[in-house]
């Protein structure tokens, strides 16, 4: 009985993975060949801000990857490539702010900032929060 139950749960997990993460797997997998030589230092050097911010964003996005070896780029749309939107994106940004030891700004402090749609937007947003809160 436990084997049947375990097998059923395994099948449900596979179906869930295909529905939820499947599209991200394909999108990330498709970019790997074009990013073969792209490195974390290239990502960090793209930005003109504290180097720890893009480094932390890179590290956290690599943990979010669906496909091993996927490398985030500044222009990646976070909802399209990582499925980060709404509350998940907010939690991700708060996690980056906390890791960077940046105080979470009040909504009045960020209401005029641009919306976060890309990886670059995350780095810029966090960097701007650093400027506001420090």
């Amino acid at each position: 009985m436990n084997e049947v139950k375990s097998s059923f749960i395994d099948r449900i997990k596979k179906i869930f993975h295909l529905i939820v993460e499947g599209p991200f797997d394909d999108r990330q997998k498709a970019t790997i060949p074009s990013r073969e030589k792209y490195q974390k230092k290239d990502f960090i050097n793209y930005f003109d801000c504290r180097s720890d911010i893009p480094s932390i964003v890179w590290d956290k996005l690599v943990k979010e990857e669906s496909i091993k070896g996927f490398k985030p780029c500044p222009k990646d749309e976070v909802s399209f490539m990582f499925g980060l939107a709404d509350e998940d994106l907010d939690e991700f940004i708060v996690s980056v702010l906390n890791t960077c030891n940046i105080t979470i700004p009040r909504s009045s402090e960020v209401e005029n900032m641009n919306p976060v749609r890309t990886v670059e937007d995350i780095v810029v947003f966090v960097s701007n929060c650093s400027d506001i809160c420090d």
Side-chain angles (χ1 to χ4, degrees), residues 44-131:
I44 293 169
N45 290 336
Y46 177 87
F47 297 99
D48 183 26
C49 65
R50 288 176 23 191
S51 64
D52 65 320
I53 295 172
S55 177
I56 289 166
V57 170
W58 170 283
D59 292 342
K60 289 184 176 294
L61 286 173
V62 166
K63 288 181 184 173
E64 293 283 330
E65 72 186 1
S66 293
I67 298 295
K68 187 168 176 60
F70 175 75
K71 300 171 184 176
C73 284
K75 299 298 182 187
D76 287 342
E77 290 186 30
V78 292
S79 63
F80 184 77
M81 292 301 274
F82 299 95
L84 292 173
D86 304 321
E87 291 85 13
D88 292 335
L89 180 57
D90 291 344
E91 288 174 17
F92 182 86
I93 292 171
V94 167
S95 172
V96 172
L97 289 167
N98 287 334
T99 304
C100 292
N101 294 315
I102 299 171
T103 305
I104 299 170
R106 294 184 298 274
S107 58
S108 62
E109 295 173 318
V110 297
E111 64 187 14
N112 292 325
M113 288 187 189
N114 292 327
V116 173
R117 294 190 177 102
T118 66
V119 173
E120 180 177 15
D121 294 339
I122 293 172
V123 173
V124 169
F125 180 87
V126 173
S127 180
N128 287 339
C129 289
S130 174
D131 294 342

